[in-house]
Amino acid sequence: MTDSINLKFGRSVVTVEQAWESLVVHLNRMETEHVPLASAFGRRLAVPVHADHDVPHFRRSGVDGYAVRAADIGQASFECPVTLQVTEHIPSGTMPQQTIGPGMAARIMTGAPVPDGADAVVMLEMTDCLMEDSPSVGIVQIKKAVPTGSNITPVAGEVGVGEHLIKQGERVGPGEAAILATFGYSHVPVYKKPVVAIFSTGSELLNVEKPLQPGRIRNSNSYMLAFQVEAAGGVPVIMPALPDDVAEVKQALERAFESADFIITSGGVSVGDYDVLVELFGRWDGNLLFNKVSMRPGTPTSAAIWKEKLLLALSGNPGASFVGFELFAGPCIRAMQGCEQPFPVESSAYLDIDYGKGSAYPRYVRGTTRVEDGVRKVQPAGIDKSSIMVSIKDADCLIKLPAGGGGFRKGVPVAVYSLES
Ligand SMILES: Nc1nc2c(c(=O)[nH]1)N[C@H]1C(S)=C(S)[C@@H](COP(=O)(O)OP(=O)(O)OC[C@H]3O[C@@H](n4cnc5c(N)ncnc54)[C@H](O)[C@@H]3O)O[C@H]1N2
Ligand code: MOO
Ligand SMILES: [Mg+2]
């Protein structure tokens, strides 16, 4: 009992940044697996990607037209076109058969290999095709002079062999998919997604399908957290909500640790009589990393290691759970999949309202940004209380307000952490 009282009231506080440091050293990288490229969206690469060939790997025409020798058409104009002999037609995907000599041209399509001897391509609109009686022979009139190199992408003009293209740990999005496909990754080595068990604690919680009962509420945090897990790239597993019973909570967590890579709980971390996580940490046989963070909401956020796995215990108030997840759990899920910079990145915006409340600890206010006349402005997404659930949906960032007494005036620049959507 004395221990748990100490844990409740005698907690030593760490900063958000110190909490980050203590978390990263205890995170385990996930194993890797190969997934089909079409299923790799949002996954994190387990290897760096280098070019194993040049792009393009042949001299590529950028337009539909005629491949020519620029010197041959140096005097060409609409009034005085230059006539060239057409040697062949080159569709995309076929190799030219003939070298372009003086006085010759080849009809060529966008994306096709430029024949040897040619050093420019003239757009079709600048030409007149004459005597096109056979597919391979004809005469063309060129009505415009173009400089050497026109409309040709040289070999390696986009990417040279050996070039580093994507870092290990980067998330696969549309641009990465294009690169991976270009270099033949039909299957992509990625980190496995961490399986994240989500427990809400509290005897007041009703399952979502249950009718309301006096004094009881439906469990909303588990679903909110599950979607946050998905957005961060993990696999959420919503576990049955736990009553305020230490033995039951301990047993459920120990069982979950057998299959989950990471456990998140919400509720039961404050100083209340039934705050079970505090009781549990009081007799914890693992490593307690922190149990108080200098932040609002979520001051009693706690983290512990048990058998090399991480347990993050978030405050039960919905706003505190949401913010605690974004500051700590999301980064952990990203780091477990090799993300090099998993923590929120700070940018800035101008505060769009007076914010009256000072705070003993830095505040991480759920915020909504907008751009007006090119200026990024931000304001709280709703009533800024950690018990308020309904405005979480409007938050696209966290506004970081430093600790201090006086509040903040409209128009001051503030630090903002954008939330991944
Ligand atoms: N004497 C003090 N009381 C409180 C303090 C304090 O410093 N001294 N801190 C307050 C702050 S701040 C927070 S945040 C909460 C933290 O509470 P717990 O983490 O112990 O969470 P609970 O007591 O279990 O629940 C708090 C609140 O949130 C509701 N809740 C919990 N789980 C869910 C869920 N899954 N879905 C929806 N809502 C949930 C719960 O019903 C309570 O209303 O403590 C303050 N008190
Ligand atoms: O610290 Mo409580 O977690 O503000 O909302
Ligand atoms: Mg409580």
Side-chain angles (χ1 to χ4, degrees), residues 358-397:
S359 167
Y361 295 128
R363 277 189 193 279
Y364 295 82
V365 178
R366 288 153 280 158
T368 310
T369 51
R370 68 187 180 100
V371 175
E372 189 182 68
D373 299 331
V375 178
R376 188 177 181 221
K377 300 182 174 184
V378 68
Q379 64 179 60
I383 300 167
D384 184 36
K385 275 178 134 188
S386 72
S387 57
I388 299 292
M389 167 278 299
V390 76
S391 55
I392 291 172
K393 69 170 183 48
D394 299 322
D396 61 14
C397 69

Side-chain angles (χ1 to χ4, degrees), residues 256-334:
F257 268 124
E258 289 167 15
S259 53
D261 300 301
F262 179 15
I263 294 184
I264 298 175
T265 63
S266 99
V269 290
S270 187
V271 296
D273 292 340
Y274 307 99
D275 282 339
V276 275
L277 265 297
V278 182
E279 291 287 325
L280 185 66
F281 289 140
R283 52 178 93 156
W284 194 245
D285 47 7
N287 180 3
L288 185 62
L289 301 182
F290 53 84
N291 62 2
K292 186 172 184 182
V293 185
S294 60
M295 60 187 269
R296 246 173 223 293
T299 315
T301 302
S302 307
I305 302 293
W306 196 75
K307 290 194 178 165
E308 295 184 7
K309 288 186 180 171
L310 179 64
L311 165 63
L312 183 70
L314 301 170
S315 296
N317 268 326
S321 267
F322 179 81
V323 170
F325 183 98
E326 292 300 328
L327 288 179
F328 302 116
C332 288
I333 292 169
R334 292 194 281 275

Side-chain angles (χ1 to χ4, degrees), residues 64-410:
D64 304 313
Y66 286 88
V68 300
R69 297 159 68 100
D72 284 355
I73 59 160
Q75 305 305 316
S77 66
F78 270 75
E79 298 74 34
C80 204
V82 170
T83 302
L84 301 172
Q85 185 76 38
V86 179
T87 56
E88 62 177 322
H89 287 205
I90 313 168
S92 291
T94 59
M95 287 305 290
Q97 300 301 309
Q98 297 181 52
T99 298
I100 301 300
M104 295 179 191
R107 193 172 167 99
I108 190 167
M109 297 300 114
T110 305
V114 174
D116 290 344
D119 60 6
V121 177
V122 185
M123 288 175 81
L124 211 52
E125 295 87 330
M126 308 299 164
T127 68
D128 272 332
C129 181
L130 305 176
M131 285 171 54
E132 177 118 42
D133 47 2
S134 108
S136 58
V137 189
I139 283 175
V140 64
Q141 284 195 324
I142 309 289
K143 299 188 286 190
K144 190 170 184 245
V146 295
T148 303
S150 278
N151 298 318
I152 297 178
T153 305
V155 169
E158 185 174 340
V159 175
V161 65
E163 204 172 304
H164 179 237
L165 295 171
I166 318 178
K167 279 194 215 156
Q168 183 173 348
E170 289 287 299
R171 212 163 166 254
V172 178
E176 288 76 12
I179 291 174
L180 291 163
T182 297
F183 292 97
Y185 285 79
S186 63
H187 288 74
V188 186
V190 293
Y191 289 103
K192 287 187 176 169
K193 290 180 170 199
V195 173
V196 184
I198 298 164
F199 287 97
S200 282
T201 69
S203 297
E204 76 277 27
L205 299 178
L206 292 167
N207 280 347
V208 63
E209 72 280 2
K210 291 277 192 273
L212 276 188
Q213 293 172 22
R216 299 186 71 184
I217 58 165
R218 295 195 184 95
N219 169 8
S220 57
N221 285 356
S222 287
Y223 295 91
M224 174 186 75
L225 291 167
F227 285 20
Q228 286 178 287
V229 167
E230 280 212 60
V235 179
V237 182
I238 296 178
M239 307 299 283
L242 295 168
D244 300 317
D245 179 285
V246 185
E248 217 172 301
V249 170
K250 185 170 190 286
Q251 196 185 36
L253 294 185
E254 282 178 358
R255 203 174 309 130
F257 268 124
E258 289 167 15
S259 53
D261 300 301
F262 179 15
I263 294 184
I264 298 175
T265 63
S266 99
V269 290
S270 187
V271 296
D273 292 340
Y274 307 99
D275 282 339
V276 275
L277 265 297
V278 182
E279 291 287 325
L280 185 66
F281 289 140
R283 52 178 93 156
W284 194 245
D285 47 7
N287 180 3
L288 185 62
L289 301 182
F290 53 84
N291 62 2
K292 186 172 184 182
V293 185
S294 60
M295 60 187 269
R296 246 173 223 293
T299 315
T301 302
S302 307
I305 302 293
W306 196 75
K307 290 194 178 165
E308 295 184 7
K309 288 186 180 171
L310 179 64
L311 165 63
L312 183 70
L314 301 170
S315 296
N317 268 326
S321 267
F322 179 81
V323 170
F325 183 98
E326 292 300 328
L327 288 179
F328 302 116
C332 288
I333 292 169
R334 292 194 281 275
M336 289 165 86
Q337 294 171 89
C339 176
E340 257 183 34
Q341 206 305 93
F343 296 109
V345 177
E346 209 172 288
S347 58
S348 70
Y350 293 98
L351 197 60
D352 212 8
I353 52 147
D354 284 336
Y355 187 91
K357 284 193 282 186
S359 167
Y361 295 128
R363 277 189 193 279
Y364 295 82
V365 178
R366 288 153 280 158
T368 310
T369 51
R370 68 187 180 100
V371 175
E372 189 182 68
D373 299 331
V375 178
R376 188 177 181 221
K377 300 182 174 184
V378 68
Q379 64 179 60
I383 300 167
D384 184 36
K385 275 178 134 188
S386 72
S387 57
I388 299 292
M389 167 278 299
V390 76
S391 55
I392 291 172
K393 69 170 183 48
D394 299 322
D396 61 14
C397 69
L398 300 179
I399 312 166
K400 181 182 171 189
L401 299 174
F408 301 85
R409 304 294 295 176
K410 179 176 177 171

